[in-house]
Amino acid sequence: MYNIDEYVIHITGGICRIEDITSLNMSGADKNRTYYLLTPIKAYSSKAYVPTDNDSTIRKIITKEEALSLIDEIPSIPEMEIENEKQRENKYKEVLKSCDLRMLISVMKNLQNRKTKRLAEGKKNTATDDKYYKLAEESLYSELAFVLGKDKSEMQSLVFERIILE
């Protein structure tokens, strides 16, 4: 169970603050069910309701210590291997929905290595690869920057160095 004023990661809203734990006062809503009222930090005017008895779409935000440990761990996180090219985009989507930071790094390594190989072959990077790299970056850097009190651009250069220089 999460608490009011706690920060969580929501699969579609990113970093959110729990504003309230309440029931929905809408027609058709189960009056006996309670919900977390989430406010994304990027879009204060939007709200999300997540049932407290089915909170699989949210997770606790990492701590400062976990963030620092994760950054140190980046070189040892293996690149995601994708054997079936037809499943590539589905794998990326699964990782983004999981909000698992280690898996995001694994995907980013895969995409960075794929881009390097394509450019060496004289090919452009695909729009799909660019899209998922940016989505993975946004999720990872936002959370790291938030918990460490840094700017996302600082996180980007820090993480990128560790991915490239492994």
Side-chain angles (χ1 to χ4, degrees):
M1 183 92 173
Y2 301 101
N3 300 308
I4 294 172
D5 290 332
E6 194 170 356
Y7 287 94
V8 294
I9 300 297
H10 184 258
I11 65 171
T12 57
I15 301 170
C16 296
R17 186 171 153 266
I18 298 176
E19 295 286 329
D20 199 2
I21 299 172
T22 185
S23 57
L24 289 180
N25 193 10
M26 304 167 139
S27 63
D30 182 352
K31 305 279 190 255
N32 296 320
R33 196 169 192 193
T34 56
Y35 294 81
Y36 296 112
L37 170 58
L38 307 178
T39 302
I41 64 167
K42 289 191 307 184
Y44 293 111
S45 61
S46 69
K47 306 278 185 223
Y49 290 91
V50 175
T52 58
D53 60 350
N54 185 12
D55 60 3
S56 61
T57 60
I58 60 176
R59 70 162 169 79
K60 239 182 200 332
I61 199 161
I62 62 172
T63 65
K64 183 176 183 176
E65 294 75 24
E66 289 169 329
L68 293 170
S69 177
L70 177 67
I71 290 167
D72 289 341
E73 192 183 326
I74 289 172
S76 65
I77 295 173
E79 171 186 343
M80 176 177 268
E81 292 185 29
I82 299 174
E83 295 175 17
N84 183 343
E85 284 298 313
K86 292 181 181 184
Q87 293 299 312
R88 178 173 293 281
E89 188 171 7
N90 287 336
K91 285 280 196 189
Y92 296 158
K93 285 178 184 177
E94 282 176 30
V95 169
L96 286 167
K97 281 183 180 178
S98 77
C99 299
D100 182 316
L101 298 180
R102 283 171 184 76
M103 291 303 294
L104 287 172
I105 292 167
S106 182
V107 163
M108 289 170 67
K109 285 183 172 187
N110 174 281
L111 289 166
Q112 186 59 45
N113 288 337
R114 186 170 149 86
K115 179 179 182 177
T116 301
K117 286 177 191 169
R118 288 183 66 81
L119 293 176
E121 294 169 354
K123 299 176 182 176
K124 289 183 179 180
N125 202 30
T126 69
T128 299
D129 286 0
D130 284 341
K131 170 186 164 183
Y132 286 102
Y133 192 87
K134 284 183 187 349
L135 290 169
E137 270 187 320
E138 176 62 25
S139 293
L140 178 66
Y141 301 155
S142 294
E143 187 168 357
L144 290 175
F146 182 80
V147 299
L148 295 174
K150 304 230 181 227
D151 189 65
K152 277 197 288 189
S153 61
E154 289 179 77
M155 293 297 97
Q156 182 177 20
S157 59
L158 187 66
V159 170
F160 188 74
E161 284 174 16
R162 282 175 168 71
I163 287 175
I164 296 304
L165 301 176
E166 60 176 276

